Amino acid sequence: MTDQILTTPLRRRALLAGTGAMLAAPALGQGAWPTRPVRIVVPFGAGGGSDVTTRIIAPRLQEVLGQPVVIENRGGAGGVVGTDYVAKQPPNGDVFVLATLSPIGLAPGLPAPMPFDPIRDLTPVAPTVFVPICMAITTRGVDARTAQDFVRLMRARPGFYQYGSSGVGASGHISAATFAIKVGAEAVHVPYRGGGQVFAALQSGEIHYCMDIPSLLKPFHDGGTARILFTATDERSSIIPDIPTAREAGIPDFKSYSWYGIFGPAGMARPIVDRMAQALETVLSDATIARRFEEMGTPAMRGWTPDRFAAFVREENATWVPLVRSLNIRE
């Protein structure tokens, strides 16, 4: 079952091709929505992948919508706190959340009760980017040049090595915990409120390893404060081409990914959903923004209708929740 969680969801990588029908023009009268500033909640702290992605999108989205777009960080519980906040807001188009796979499909598989139902209590609008994951270790006190070196260290000292994430149930948490299970080692989870805190802890040696986006870990790798050991994808990352895949590093069948998408509260009127989805499609199709995401190694997910995204979200939830439960990850 462990191998299944690491391989089954990656089949949907093909969905990035965006071959579905392009969004139709929204049926919304002039001046109907938005008439006030639009808030986008980032359910993680500053400095992480979801925060960076939202700040890339927001200025252009503001131009397209003709209203200010305000970013609000509400971190906690692997994205659950901020996503729950939006789920409980009126569905009037004033507030959205850039949710990730974490609160949609990973956290619901953990023992802690969820304060909202990701399928019932949210309105899927559109995906933004696909997020590959890589693993990095601190260079402070960890003498390992390869993944196999680090695995040997972990096996020799069960429960000594610590990994950080942006919260219980976050992609970094599930990925790092699954890695330890996969290689037959024991490690301790240290949750933080955002990626920025995780990266600071990695550089200082407060934690021994973490898993996150290649582009965010690359500066620390290049600067010598961390070392990226592998990318958890089928192919090497274009931004760190010298780093092997997990399979090349001797850890077959280990793969990990996430995605970011815009959601509103349940019950949001379809004209608002269509207008926001079309605006996001315009933003993601902007050549400058698309290039930024390619440079980050998180390609834009373009060409999605709200209905197609909703079906994808249901599939991800139905796949990941039972698989996370099968791993029996407690904290």
Side-chain angles (χ1 to χ4, degrees), residues 218-244:
K218 184 177 185 296
F220 315 127
H221 176 86
D222 293 343
T225 56
R227 179 174 296 117
I228 300 175
L229 297 183
F230 61 81
T231 56
T233 49
D234 288 326
E235 300 177 355
R236 294 191 180 198
S237 169
S238 61
I239 65 171
I240 47 172
D242 294 336
I243 303 299

Side-chain angles (χ1 to χ4, degrees), residues 3 17 25 28 30 40 57 81 110 124 135 140 143 176 183 188 201 206 210 213 217 244 248 258 273:
D3 288 353
L28 194 68
Q30 291 294 323
I40 297 181
I57 289 173
V81 171
L110 296 174
M135 177 178 169
R140 289 184 176 271
D143 185 19
V183 301
V188 178
E206 182 177 312
C210 73
I213 303 172
L217 291 170
E248 291 171 332
S258 185
V273 175

Side-chain angles (χ1 to χ4, degrees), residues 23-270:
L23 299 172
L28 194 68
Q30 291 294 323
W33 182 88
T35 59
R36 296 189 297 269
V38 175
R39 284 189 297 151
I40 297 181
V41 171
V42 176
F44 297 95
S50 56
D51 181 63
V52 172
T53 296
T54 308
R55 294 181 188 281
I56 291 173
I57 289 173
R60 183 72 177 100
L61 184 62
Q62 180 170 292
E63 294 176 1
V64 175
L65 292 177
Q67 289 289 340
V69 172
V70 181
I71 299 172
E72 182 177 331
N73 293 87
R74 285 179 173 263
V80 170
V81 171
T83 307
D84 177 55
Y85 168 79
V86 172
K88 291 178 169 55
Q89 299 305 301
N92 56 13
D94 283 355
V95 61
F96 297 84
V97 61
L98 186 90
T100 72
L101 174 61
S102 300
I104 301 301
L106 302 183
L110 296 174
M114 288 283 288
F116 69 97
D117 185 310
I119 303 302
R120 182 193 63 210
D121 299 331
L122 294 169
T123 298
V125 178
T128 57
V129 297
F130 177 82
V131 184
I133 302 293
C134 70
M135 177 178 169
I137 61 172
T138 182
T139 55
R140 289 184 176 271
V142 178
D143 185 19
R145 306 294 300 184
T146 68
Q148 291 302 316
D149 289 343
F150 188 56
V151 168
R152 282 191 288 271
L153 292 176
M154 292 179 70
R155 288 173 176 168
R157 303 186 69 178
F160 172 77
Y161 289 93
Q162 299 181 334
Y163 63 91
S165 81
S166 54
V168 174
S171 297
H173 170 210
I174 302 302
S175 299
T178 305
F179 166 77
I181 293 170
K182 176 70 177 176
V183 301
E186 296 178 17
V188 178
H189 179 215
V190 182
Y192 296 87
R193 292 185 65 84
Q197 294 179 354
V198 176
F199 302 148
L202 184 71
Q203 293 183 87
S204 68
E206 182 177 312
I207 58 173
H208 300 102
Y209 75 100
C210 73
M211 302 194 72
D212 215 297
I213 303 172
S215 62
L216 296 181
L217 291 170
K218 184 177 185 296
F220 315 127
H221 176 86
D222 293 343
T225 56
R227 179 174 296 117
I228 300 175
L229 297 183
F230 61 81
T231 56
T233 49
D234 288 326
E235 300 177 355
R236 294 191 180 198
S237 169
S238 61
I239 65 171
I240 47 172
D242 294 336
I243 303 299
T245 65
R247 176 174 292 279
E248 291 171 332
I251 309 171
D253 301 323
F254 180 77
K255 300 172 187 175
S256 184
Y257 73 99
S258 185
W259 46 261
Y260 306 153
I262 295 292
F263 295 76
M268 183 169 284
R270 186 56 187 249

